[in-house]
Amino acid sequence: MTALRVIIIDDEPLAINVLKNYVEQVSQLELVQTFSNAIDANLFLQENEVDIIFLDINMPILDGLNFLQSLQVAPMIVITTAHEEYALKSFELEVIDYLVKPIPFPRFLKAVNRIISLKQGAANSGHSANEKPSIFVKVDKKKLQKIFIDEIVVVESLKDYIRIKTTSAKYIIHKTLGSFTEELPSDKFLRIHRSYTIAIDKVESIEGNSLEVDGIRYTIGRSYLNEAKSRILNDSIT
């Protein structure tokens, strides 16, 4: 997939600098331009195409929501604001995500991964892309590692960290199991224990309250047992 073209619209220079730094850390994003007001951004969009707009709400003359409503064809919009009260209105306008300042990088990355997944899904449905769906995770504090979704086997909780086991490697990242599981396709992955999330299609066998994945047996938590068996067995039938 080619890099997604990005613009940032925000009247706060510090907020722009934070987002610029975040965008530059993701190889699949290309920062095209930044704007301190929506009017200049509107003029730019009349002559140029972009894929993503990171959009502040409270700006002079033309605020972010009115700007969004004025667009005839809107790119993917991610709201970036210090105010939580506009969330409902924003989602009614079909924004992709709503980020509340100060925006931590993991939360920014979650929004970007969602956009990349949507873009890949649209491309695959149109038979215009061969690249498999993927997700970026931050490893070694700075490095962003691309992991193909269909290569993930098991995700294991390590308190404040998780271990991601793929068909070819293992990665340890600073994230909770719950938040990472939410980023994975719910039809392909299943949490079976407070410590484990597994890829449904990688399950090799089920016996009692445990299952086997990649030659290793994992316990299914009591509260997860019924759903896990139902999901895995139904998936194998279909």
Side-chain angles (χ1 to χ4, degrees):
M1 186 177 72
T2 58
L4 302 177
R5 292 167 56 84
V6 173
I7 65 171
I8 299 168
I9 310 174
D10 200 309
D11 64 336
E12 299 178 8
L14 179 59
I16 287 179
N17 287 336
V18 169
L19 288 172
K20 282 178 62 177
N21 179 55
Y22 286 177
V23 169
E24 289 168 358
Q25 293 189 58
V26 183
S27 62
Q28 285 185 290
L29 300 182
E30 175 191 355
L31 181 61
V32 178
Q33 188 61 272
T34 66
F35 300 93
S36 60
N37 64 80
I39 295 175
D40 289 343
N42 186 58
L43 292 174
F44 177 84
L45 290 172
Q46 291 177 14
E47 302 293 334
N48 301 273
E49 292 186 4
V50 302
D51 298 294
I52 308 170
I53 300 177
F54 289 97
L55 176 64
D56 188 23
I57 292 180
N58 288 343
M59 292 184 291
I61 306 178
L62 181 63
D63 68 49
L65 295 183
N66 283 322
F67 163 75
L68 178 54
Q69 289 176 298
S70 73
L71 296 176
Q72 293 184 342
V73 180
M76 290 190 170
I77 305 292
V78 176
I79 296 294
T80 58
T81 178
H83 304 276
E84 298 182 3
E85 62 266 26
Y86 301 110
L88 179 59
K89 179 63 176 177
S90 297
F91 284 113
E92 287 176 350
L93 295 173
E94 299 182 345
V95 304
I96 296 299
D97 212 333
Y98 191 97
L99 307 184
V100 179
K101 301 174 183 176
I103 304 167
F105 181 73
R107 184 65 183 86
F108 170 86
L109 188 59
K110 181 177 180 178
V112 170
N113 279 328
R114 181 178 300 163
I115 291 172
I116 291 172
S117 179
L118 289 170
K119 284 285 188 180
Q120 290 174 331
N124 289 338
S125 65
H127 305 287
S128 59
N130 293 320
E131 186 172 357
K132 298 185 295 183
S134 60
I135 189 170
F136 280 88
V137 297
K138 194 171 187 178
V139 298
D140 301 328
K141 296 184 178 180
K142 294 183 179 180
K143 179 182 177 182
L144 286 171
Q145 177 67 45
K146 181 179 182 179
I147 299 177
F148 291 113
I149 297 293
D150 65 359
E151 293 182 3
I152 297 175
V153 178
V154 175
V155 186
E156 179 183 357
S157 174
L158 303 173
K159 292 188 177 179
D160 294 331
Y161 292 80
I162 57 173
R163 180 189 291 117
I164 304 170
K165 180 181 180 182
T166 73
T167 54
S168 58
K170 295 179 181 178
Y171 306 96
I172 294 179
I173 67 171
H174 187 257
K175 183 169 285 193
T176 64
L177 181 61
S179 63
F180 185 73
T181 301
E182 288 179 359
E183 297 180 37
L184 299 173
S186 59
D187 62 327
K188 298 182 182 299
F189 292 86
L190 177 66
R191 189 165 181 175
I192 62 165
H193 190 277
R194 64 183 181 180
S195 298
Y196 306 114
T197 291
I198 55 93
I200 296 174
D201 67 347
K202 303 295 193 301
V203 175
E204 297 165 352
S205 66
I206 304 176
E207 182 178 352
N209 67 337
S210 67
L211 54 78
E212 187 175 346
V213 179
D214 197 29
I216 299 174
R217 190 153 292 277
Y218 297 90
T219 299
I220 305 173
R222 181 180 300 175
S223 61
Y224 300 90
L225 188 58
N226 290 337
E227 181 185 1
K229 286 189 173 182
S230 175
R231 289 278 307 279
I232 293 168
L233 295 175
N234 287 339
D235 184 74
S236 65
I237 293 172
T238 56

